[in-house]
Amino acid sequence: MTATSFRARASQGATAGLLLALFLFPRVASNYWLDVFTSAFFYVILALGLNVVVGFAGLLDLGYAAFFAIGAYTTGILTTVYHVPFLLTVPAAAALAALSGVVIGAPALRLRSDYLAIVTLGFGEIIRITAKNLTLTGSASGIYGIPRPTVFGHALKTQQDFYYLLLILAIVTYLAMRRLEHSRVGRAWKYIREDEDAAAAMGIDPFRYKLLAFVVGAVVGGLAGTVFAVRMTAIAPESFGFMQSVLILLAVILGGLGRLPGVVLGAFLIVLLPEAMREFASWRYFLFGALLIAMMHFRPEGLWPAGRRKMPQSGRAALNGGDGR
């Protein structure tokens, strides 16, 4: 057995063991820790969606909570006002989030860098303020009394039910993002991220692929919003503010841009670290911020950064004039 195959099998074994532990966790955990881990799975889904935009395509999005809000309000309105079953609201929320991604992405993606960030920030605030002022969205009070969902004949009521629902959704989202990362589209995103002009010279349409990244990220955010609405049974505009977008972006950067395992790690850390520091009361966010500053100073590429491919020996030899030195 080669060292590479041994590492691959060890990694697969560790992954299988981790998944088994997560599925058995509700048997030994209290409701408090079930709630904490359920929130962590929720942020894993959101961070994986934002990673498509920021990590794969290299676009700075400061208004990602807007798509999360669109999904949540779509489910909230359809279930409380029109009494639509939860599962039927899911495709509606995904479609509306995708449409919103196109509406904001089509004009904004012709911009770059800070200008794009400002536009996405404005979009996020527009969605929040609109939700705060519309009667249909419950104005500042939001929507309450959202019914618990029934999935394939099983009514989700307990904390354990939502734990397993979000765990399964996080796994499915991760596998989908991994498949997308290694696809032709994923490679095009990475080329655009590294050098947009060079990618265009190679025949890649930067606008088309950046818009696709925006839509994919919007759909994932919208789907996460549907689960958030039925889990909390009440939503309000304050849940979708700028700081929510920053927190999701922080998970992506903390773990490692474009690195899926790192994004998952970052999402867990932004949920678990404040909880672990709860005994310090008002100091915990100060300590959390200090840890983040230290991490960004000593490891700015993230805790689990994407590795770089090593150039084959033949390639190094060619660059050195064929002598291999």
Side-chain angles (χ1 to χ4, degrees), residues 151-193:
V151 179
F152 302 121
H154 177 70
L156 304 182
K157 297 179 180 179
T158 66
Q159 186 71 348
Q160 185 171 316
D161 291 335
F162 284 99
Y163 173 91
Y164 281 119
L165 174 64
L166 280 162
L167 172 59
I168 293 171
L169 288 178
I171 293 172
V172 171
T173 305
Y174 181 91
L175 293 176
M177 294 301 106
R178 184 177 180 183
R179 184 69 179 269
L180 196 58
E181 178 186 13
H182 298 289
S183 68
R184 182 178 180 180
V185 173
R187 291 192 296 271
W189 284 336
K190 292 180 181 180
Y191 295 149
I192 293 171
R193 179 191 66 194

Side-chain angles (χ1 to χ4, degrees), residues 52 68 96 163 187 213 240 283:
V52 174
F68 166 39
L96 191 56
Y163 173 91
R187 291 192 296 271
F240 313 104
W283 285 92

